[in-house]
Amino acid sequence: MQIKALDTLESFYGTLDATAPTDPYEFLIWWQCGYPPSEERCAKGWQALVDQVGIAPKRLTSVSAAKLAAALTAGGIVPAVRAVRLKEIAKRVGEDHAGDLRASLARLSSAQARKLLKTFPGIGNPGADRILLFARIEAVAAVPSACPHVLVRVAHGAEGDNYAATYAAAQQLQNALPATFDARIRGYLLLSRHGRELCKRTNPACPRCPLRTMCAFAKGAKKPR
């Protein structure tokens, strides 16, 4: 079911490439570039940060918080808060990981790597899974944090109100994919695109969905709660 659904989505959207940075440190910076975080806001804030300041750990620790905040305004609200977080991330990666967070993560066990990532601002289990997958450290069954409902709707129908339960159910479904980086990155990107464009959390566009003939949610014509 999962592979067939992903093949259908790929026929609809085409082959997708990651738009967010895949290096762990760069992703942590990118994730703070937009708020509320989204692909679009983070991309805008990231571009402004790259153009106006730079992203190297030494650069971010030395530049003023005010200059950082000015660049981050392009990505949304609370830029001053995000500027402080960027400085914290850059300082820790520069001092504790010699500027190479990926190398540090690769030396750890899965549990240790997740624990370390979750000590950074804004990173929970979904974010840690995403980082490990896209950095090709572990082929984890990562699920887009903004739309874990997509696979759950296809397989089971309307998701419940409990986010953690929906994410766990989606991750279990994603585990049916081959445990390779390419297969799981492909799945993540397609589910993320579909969740943003058609299978939205509220008011999903079921009549236009390429999965409607195989989707339990579409067949049941139930609105998500």
PDB file of all heavy atoms in Angstrom, residues 8 16 28 34 44 50 58 64 76 79 88 92 110 113 124 126 139 161 170 172 179 181 183 188 198 205 208 219-220:
ATOM      1  N   THR A   8       2.246   6.604  -6.873  1.00  0.00           N
ATOM      2  CA  THR A   8       1.183   7.457  -7.417  1.00  0.00           C
ATOM      3  C   THR A   8       1.491   8.929  -7.176  1.00  0.00           C
ATOM      4  O   THR A   8       1.306   9.774  -8.060  1.00  0.00           O
ATOM      5  CB  THR A   8      -0.166   7.084  -6.787  1.00  0.00           C
ATOM      6  OG1 THR A   8      -0.453   5.709  -7.056  1.00  0.00           O
ATOM      7  CG2 THR A   8      -1.289   7.947  -7.329  1.00  0.00           C
ATOM      8  N   LEU A  16      11.149  14.515  -6.435  1.00  0.00           N
ATOM      9  CA  LEU A  16      11.391  15.664  -5.561  1.00  0.00           C
ATOM     10  C   LEU A  16      12.787  15.613  -4.954  1.00  0.00           C
ATOM     11  O   LEU A  16      13.315  14.532  -4.673  1.00  0.00           O
ATOM     12  CB  LEU A  16      10.351  15.704  -4.443  1.00  0.00           C
ATOM     13  CG  LEU A  16       8.884  15.739  -4.870  1.00  0.00           C
ATOM     14  CD1 LEU A  16       7.980  15.761  -3.639  1.00  0.00           C
ATOM     15  CD2 LEU A  16       8.602  16.953  -5.754  1.00  0.00           C
ATOM     16  N   LEU A  28      19.693  22.741  11.692  1.00  0.00           N
ATOM     17  CA  LEU A  28      19.344  23.395  12.956  1.00  0.00           C
ATOM     18  C   LEU A  28      19.248  24.911  12.767  1.00  0.00           C
ATOM     19  O   LEU A  28      18.355  25.558  13.338  1.00  0.00           O
ATOM     20  CB  LEU A  28      20.374  23.064  14.032  1.00  0.00           C
ATOM     21  CG  LEU A  28      20.410  21.615  14.523  1.00  0.00           C
ATOM     22  CD1 LEU A  28      21.582  21.418  15.484  1.00  0.00           C
ATOM     23  CD2 LEU A  28      19.097  21.224  15.208  1.00  0.00           C
ATOM     24  N   GLY A  34      12.692  30.518  10.381  1.00  0.00           N
ATOM     25  CA  GLY A  34      11.298  30.888  10.189  1.00  0.00           C
ATOM     26  C   GLY A  34      10.472  30.573  11.427  1.00  0.00           C
ATOM     27  O   GLY A  34      10.754  29.609  12.132  1.00  0.00           O
ATOM     28  N   LYS A  44      12.802  31.599   3.400  1.00  0.00           N
ATOM     29  CA  LYS A  44      12.972  33.045   3.286  1.00  0.00           C
ATOM     30  C   LYS A  44      13.974  33.571   4.306  1.00  0.00           C
ATOM     31  O   LYS A  44      14.861  34.377   3.982  1.00  0.00           O
ATOM     32  CB  LYS A  44      11.621  33.745   3.478  1.00  0.00           C
ATOM     33  CG  LYS A  44      10.653  33.562   2.317  1.00  0.00           C
ATOM     34  CD  LYS A  44       9.345  34.282   2.593  1.00  0.00           C
ATOM     35  CE  LYS A  44       8.356  34.086   1.444  1.00  0.00           C
ATOM     36  NZ  LYS A  44       7.057  34.759   1.739  1.00  0.00           N
ATOM     37  N   VAL A  50      21.836  34.000   5.018  1.00  0.00           N
ATOM     38  CA  VAL A  50      23.012  33.703   4.182  1.00  0.00           C
ATOM     39  C   VAL A  50      23.519  34.971   3.498  1.00  0.00           C
ATOM     40  O   VAL A  50      24.727  35.244   3.455  1.00  0.00           O
ATOM     41  CB  VAL A  50      22.667  32.621   3.140  1.00  0.00           C
ATOM     42  CG1 VAL A  50      23.777  32.491   2.113  1.00  0.00           C
ATOM     43  CG2 VAL A  50      22.432  31.285   3.831  1.00  0.00           C
ATOM     44  N   LYS A  58      31.519  30.421  13.694  1.00  0.00           N
ATOM     45  CA  LYS A  58      32.281  31.570  14.175  1.00  0.00           C
ATOM     46  C   LYS A  58      31.603  32.882  13.804  1.00  0.00           C
ATOM     47  O   LYS A  58      31.630  33.852  14.570  1.00  0.00           O
ATOM     48  CB  LYS A  58      33.692  31.533  13.610  1.00  0.00           C
ATOM     49  CG  LYS A  58      34.577  30.459  14.232  1.00  0.00           C
ATOM     50  CD  LYS A  58      35.999  30.542  13.696  1.00  0.00           C
ATOM     51  CE  LYS A  58      36.879  29.472  14.340  1.00  0.00           C
ATOM     52  NZ  LYS A  58      38.277  29.516  13.816  1.00  0.00           N
ATOM     53  N   SER A  64      26.411  40.587  16.022  1.00  0.00           N
ATOM     54  CA  SER A  64      25.487  41.059  17.054  1.00  0.00           C
ATOM     55  C   SER A  64      24.118  40.394  16.918  1.00  0.00           C
ATOM     56  O   SER A  64      23.688  40.052  15.813  1.00  0.00           O
ATOM     57  CB  SER A  64      25.317  42.578  16.973  1.00  0.00           C
ATOM     58  OG  SER A  64      24.574  42.933  15.829  1.00  0.00           O
ATOM     59  N   GLY A  76       9.607  35.578   9.628  1.00  0.00           N
ATOM     60  CA  GLY A  76       8.446  35.548  10.520  1.00  0.00           C
ATOM     61  C   GLY A  76       8.666  36.271  11.838  1.00  0.00           C
ATOM     62  O   GLY A  76       9.547  37.130  11.949  1.00  0.00           O
ATOM     63  N   PRO A  79      11.912  37.392  15.847  1.00  0.00           N
ATOM     64  CA  PRO A  79      13.280  37.243  15.340  1.00  0.00           C
ATOM     65  C   PRO A  79      14.349  37.374  16.420  1.00  0.00           C
ATOM     66  O   PRO A  79      15.406  36.739  16.327  1.00  0.00           O
ATOM     67  CB  PRO A  79      13.394  38.359  14.297  1.00  0.00           C
ATOM     68  CG  PRO A  79      12.382  39.373  14.713  1.00  0.00           C
ATOM     69  CD  PRO A  79      11.247  38.578  15.273  1.00  0.00           C
ATOM     70  N   GLU A  88      23.225  30.250  20.317  1.00  0.00           N
ATOM     71  CA  GLU A  88      23.411  29.078  21.183  1.00  0.00           C
ATOM     72  C   GLU A  88      23.836  27.865  20.361  1.00  0.00           C
ATOM     73  O   GLU A  88      24.772  27.134  20.725  1.00  0.00           O
ATOM     74  CB  GLU A  88      22.109  28.769  21.926  1.00  0.00           C
ATOM     75  CG  GLU A  88      22.183  27.492  22.758  1.00  0.00           C
ATOM     76  CD  GLU A  88      20.839  27.047  23.287  1.00  0.00           C
ATOM     77  OE1 GLU A  88      19.909  27.882  23.356  1.00  0.00           O
ATOM     78  OE2 GLU A  88      20.709  25.847  23.626  1.00  0.00           O
ATOM     79  N   ARG A  92      27.566  26.015  20.569  1.00  0.00           N
ATOM     80  CA  ARG A  92      27.690  24.618  20.975  1.00  0.00           C
ATOM     81  C   ARG A  92      28.357  23.773  19.898  1.00  0.00           C
ATOM     82  O   ARG A  92      29.222  22.947  20.186  1.00  0.00           O
ATOM     83  CB  ARG A  92      26.311  24.038  21.306  1.00  0.00           C
ATOM     84  CG  ARG A  92      25.723  24.547  22.613  1.00  0.00           C
ATOM     85  CD  ARG A  92      24.386  23.899  22.884  1.00  0.00           C
ATOM     86  NE  ARG A  92      24.498  22.436  22.883  1.00  0.00           N
ATOM     87  CZ  ARG A  92      23.459  21.614  22.885  1.00  0.00           C
ATOM     88  NH1 ARG A  92      22.234  22.114  22.863  1.00  0.00           N
ATOM     89  NH2 ARG A  92      23.644  20.314  22.893  1.00  0.00           N
ATOM     90  N   SER A 110      22.206   5.198  18.037  1.00  0.00           N
ATOM     91  CA  SER A 110      20.963   5.861  17.625  1.00  0.00           C
ATOM     92  C   SER A 110      20.335   6.620  18.788  1.00  0.00           C
ATOM     93  O   SER A 110      19.927   7.775  18.644  1.00  0.00           O
ATOM     94  CB  SER A 110      19.973   4.829  17.082  1.00  0.00           C
ATOM     95  OG  SER A 110      20.468   4.225  15.919  1.00  0.00           O
ATOM     96  N   ALA A 113      22.411   9.704  19.666  1.00  0.00           N
ATOM     97  CA  ALA A 113      22.292  10.759  18.654  1.00  0.00           C
ATOM     98  C   ALA A 113      20.971  11.502  18.802  1.00  0.00           C
ATOM     99  O   ALA A 113      20.934  12.740  18.720  1.00  0.00           O
ATOM    100  CB  ALA A 113      22.411  10.151  17.260  1.00  0.00           C
ATOM    101  N   GLY A 124      12.384  18.022  18.505  1.00  0.00           N
ATOM    102  CA  GLY A 124      11.795  16.897  19.224  1.00  0.00           C
ATOM    103  C   GLY A 124      12.063  15.629  18.445  1.00  0.00           C
ATOM    104  O   GLY A 124      12.947  15.576  17.579  1.00  0.00           O
ATOM    105  N   PRO A 126      10.314  14.143  15.954  1.00  0.00           N
ATOM    106  CA  PRO A 126      10.217  14.265  14.490  1.00  0.00           C
ATOM    107  C   PRO A 126      11.422  14.968  13.869  1.00  0.00           C
ATOM    108  O   PRO A 126      11.923  14.548  12.826  1.00  0.00           O
ATOM    109  CB  PRO A 126       8.931  15.075  14.293  1.00  0.00           C
ATOM    110  CG  PRO A 126       8.113  14.790  15.508  1.00  0.00           C
ATOM    111  CD  PRO A 126       9.120  14.711  16.617  1.00  0.00           C
ATOM    112  N   ALA A 139      18.804   5.288   8.522  1.00  0.00           N
ATOM    113  CA  ALA A 139      17.636   5.236   7.628  1.00  0.00           C
ATOM    114  C   ALA A 139      16.359   5.048   8.446  1.00  0.00           C
ATOM    115  O   ALA A 139      15.621   4.074   8.305  1.00  0.00           O
ATOM    116  CB  ALA A 139      17.792   4.111   6.613  1.00  0.00           C
ATOM    117  N   ASP A 161      -7.278  13.002  17.490  1.00  0.00           N
ATOM    118  CA  ASP A 161      -6.823  14.302  17.963  1.00  0.00           C
ATOM    119  C   ASP A 161      -5.443  14.252  18.607  1.00  0.00           C
ATOM    120  O   ASP A 161      -4.854  15.298  18.876  1.00  0.00           O
ATOM    121  CB  ASP A 161      -7.816  14.868  18.984  1.00  0.00           C
ATOM    122  CG  ASP A 161      -9.176  15.156  18.372  1.00  0.00           C
ATOM    123  OD1 ASP A 161      -9.199  15.540  17.185  1.00  0.00           O
ATOM    124  OD2 ASP A 161     -10.195  14.986  19.059  1.00  0.00           O
ATOM    125  N   ALA A 170       1.830   6.804  11.812  1.00  0.00           N
ATOM    126  CA  ALA A 170       2.439   7.105  10.516  1.00  0.00           C
ATOM    127  C   ALA A 170       3.831   6.503  10.416  1.00  0.00           C
ATOM    128  O   ALA A 170       4.220   5.969   9.367  1.00  0.00           O
ATOM    129  CB  ALA A 170       2.504   8.619  10.320  1.00  0.00           C
ATOM    130  N   GLN A 172       4.893   3.836  11.928  1.00  0.00           N
ATOM    131  CA  GLN A 172       4.734   2.393  11.761  1.00  0.00           C
ATOM    132  C   GLN A 172       4.447   2.052  10.298  1.00  0.00           C
ATOM    133  O   GLN A 172       4.987   1.089   9.746  1.00  0.00           O
ATOM    134  CB  GLN A 172       3.614   1.871  12.660  1.00  0.00           C
ATOM    135  CG  GLN A 172       3.463   0.367  12.638  1.00  0.00           C
ATOM    136  CD  GLN A 172       2.407  -0.121  13.618  1.00  0.00           C
ATOM    137  OE1 GLN A 172       1.574   0.658  14.102  1.00  0.00           O
ATOM    138  NE2 GLN A 172       2.422  -1.394  13.930  1.00  0.00           N
ATOM    139  N   ALA A 179      14.268  -0.283   4.185  1.00  0.00           N
ATOM    140  CA  ALA A 179      15.064   0.473   5.151  1.00  0.00           C
ATOM    141  C   ALA A 179      16.331   1.015   4.500  1.00  0.00           C
ATOM    142  O   ALA A 179      17.460   0.728   4.924  1.00  0.00           O
ATOM    143  CB  ALA A 179      15.399  -0.388   6.351  1.00  0.00           C
ATOM    144  N   PHE A 181      18.159   4.691   2.710  1.00  0.00           N
ATOM    145  CA  PHE A 181      18.061   6.151   2.731  1.00  0.00           C
ATOM    146  C   PHE A 181      17.223   6.666   1.567  1.00  0.00           C
ATOM    147  O   PHE A 181      16.342   7.506   1.753  1.00  0.00           O
ATOM    148  CB  PHE A 181      19.459   6.772   2.688  1.00  0.00           C
ATOM    149  CG  PHE A 181      20.247   6.560   3.941  1.00  0.00           C
ATOM    150  CD1 PHE A 181      21.378   5.770   3.940  1.00  0.00           C
ATOM    151  CD2 PHE A 181      19.848   7.152   5.136  1.00  0.00           C
ATOM    152  CE1 PHE A 181      22.112   5.579   5.100  1.00  0.00           C
ATOM    153  CE2 PHE A 181      20.569   6.967   6.313  1.00  0.00           C
ATOM    154  CZ  PHE A 181      21.706   6.178   6.282  1.00  0.00           C
ATOM    155  N   ALA A 183      14.854   5.261  -0.282  1.00  0.00           N
ATOM    156  CA  ALA A 183      13.424   4.949  -0.206  1.00  0.00           C
ATOM    157  C   ALA A 183      12.724   5.817   0.833  1.00  0.00           C
ATOM    158  O   ALA A 183      11.621   6.322   0.600  1.00  0.00           O
ATOM    159  CB  ALA A 183      13.224   3.471   0.114  1.00  0.00           C
ATOM    160  N   TYR A 188       9.428  10.585   2.556  1.00  0.00           N
ATOM    161  CA  TYR A 188       9.270  11.792   3.362  1.00  0.00           C
ATOM    162  C   TYR A 188       8.920  12.992   2.484  1.00  0.00           C
ATOM    163  O   TYR A 188       7.993  13.751   2.778  1.00  0.00           O
ATOM    164  CB  TYR A 188      10.557  12.062   4.129  1.00  0.00           C
ATOM    165  CG  TYR A 188      10.474  13.207   5.107  1.00  0.00           C
ATOM    166  CD1 TYR A 188      10.369  12.970   6.468  1.00  0.00           C
ATOM    167  CD2 TYR A 188      10.504  14.544   4.678  1.00  0.00           C
ATOM    168  CE1 TYR A 188      10.297  14.021   7.377  1.00  0.00           C
ATOM    169  CE2 TYR A 188      10.424  15.586   5.572  1.00  0.00           C
ATOM    170  CZ  TYR A 188      10.317  15.319   6.918  1.00  0.00           C
ATOM    171  OH  TYR A 188      10.232  16.358   7.811  1.00  0.00           O
ATOM    172  N   LEU A 198      -2.378  19.286  -0.921  1.00  0.00           N
ATOM    173  CA  LEU A 198      -3.732  18.744  -1.081  1.00  0.00           C
ATOM    174  C   LEU A 198      -4.288  18.120   0.191  1.00  0.00           C
ATOM    175  O   LEU A 198      -5.410  18.422   0.584  1.00  0.00           O
ATOM    176  CB  LEU A 198      -3.754  17.707  -2.219  1.00  0.00           C
ATOM    177  CG  LEU A 198      -3.495  18.244  -3.628  1.00  0.00           C
ATOM    178  CD1 LEU A 198      -3.561  17.099  -4.644  1.00  0.00           C
ATOM    179  CD2 LEU A 198      -4.500  19.320  -4.001  1.00  0.00           C
ATOM    180  N   ALA A 205      -8.230  18.602  -0.044  1.00  0.00           N
ATOM    181  CA  ALA A 205      -8.810  18.648  -1.391  1.00  0.00           C
ATOM    182  C   ALA A 205      -8.958  17.234  -1.950  1.00  0.00           C
ATOM    183  O   ALA A 205      -8.320  16.873  -2.952  1.00  0.00           O
ATOM    184  CB  ALA A 205      -7.942  19.503  -2.293  1.00  0.00           C
ATOM    185  N   ARG A 208      -9.432  16.324  -5.774  1.00  0.00           N
ATOM    186  CA  ARG A 208      -8.279  16.506  -6.663  1.00  0.00           C
ATOM    187  C   ARG A 208      -7.115  15.584  -6.312  1.00  0.00           C
ATOM    188  O   ARG A 208      -6.070  15.631  -6.955  1.00  0.00           O
ATOM    189  CB  ARG A 208      -7.810  17.966  -6.607  1.00  0.00           C
ATOM    190  CG  ARG A 208      -8.823  18.948  -7.154  1.00  0.00           C
ATOM    191  CD  ARG A 208      -8.210  20.332  -7.341  1.00  0.00           C
ATOM    192  NE  ARG A 208      -7.973  21.021  -6.080  1.00  0.00           N
ATOM    193  CZ  ARG A 208      -6.798  21.515  -5.692  1.00  0.00           C
ATOM    194  NH1 ARG A 208      -5.725  21.362  -6.446  1.00  0.00           N
ATOM    195  NH2 ARG A 208      -6.683  22.148  -4.542  1.00  0.00           N
ATOM    196  N   LYS A 219     -12.626   7.724   0.793  1.00  0.00           N
ATOM    197  CA  LYS A 219     -13.780   6.852   0.580  1.00  0.00           C
ATOM    198  C   LYS A 219     -14.825   7.039   1.655  1.00  0.00           C
ATOM    199  O   LYS A 219     -16.027   6.941   1.400  1.00  0.00           O
ATOM    200  CB  LYS A 219     -13.327   5.393   0.545  1.00  0.00           C
ATOM    201  CG  LYS A 219     -12.510   5.033  -0.688  1.00  0.00           C
ATOM    202  CD  LYS A 219     -12.030   3.598  -0.606  1.00  0.00           C
ATOM    203  CE  LYS A 219     -11.165   3.230  -1.819  1.00  0.00           C
ATOM    204  NZ  LYS A 219     -10.645   1.847  -1.725  1.00  0.00           N
ATOM    205  N   GLY A 220     -14.381   7.346   2.874  1.00  0.00           N
ATOM    206  CA  GLY A 220     -15.323   7.550   3.975  1.00  0.00           C
ATOM    207  C   GLY A 220     -15.921   8.932   3.990  1.00  0.00           C
ATOM    208  O   GLY A 220     -16.896   9.174   4.686  1.00  0.00           O
TER     209      GLY A 220
END
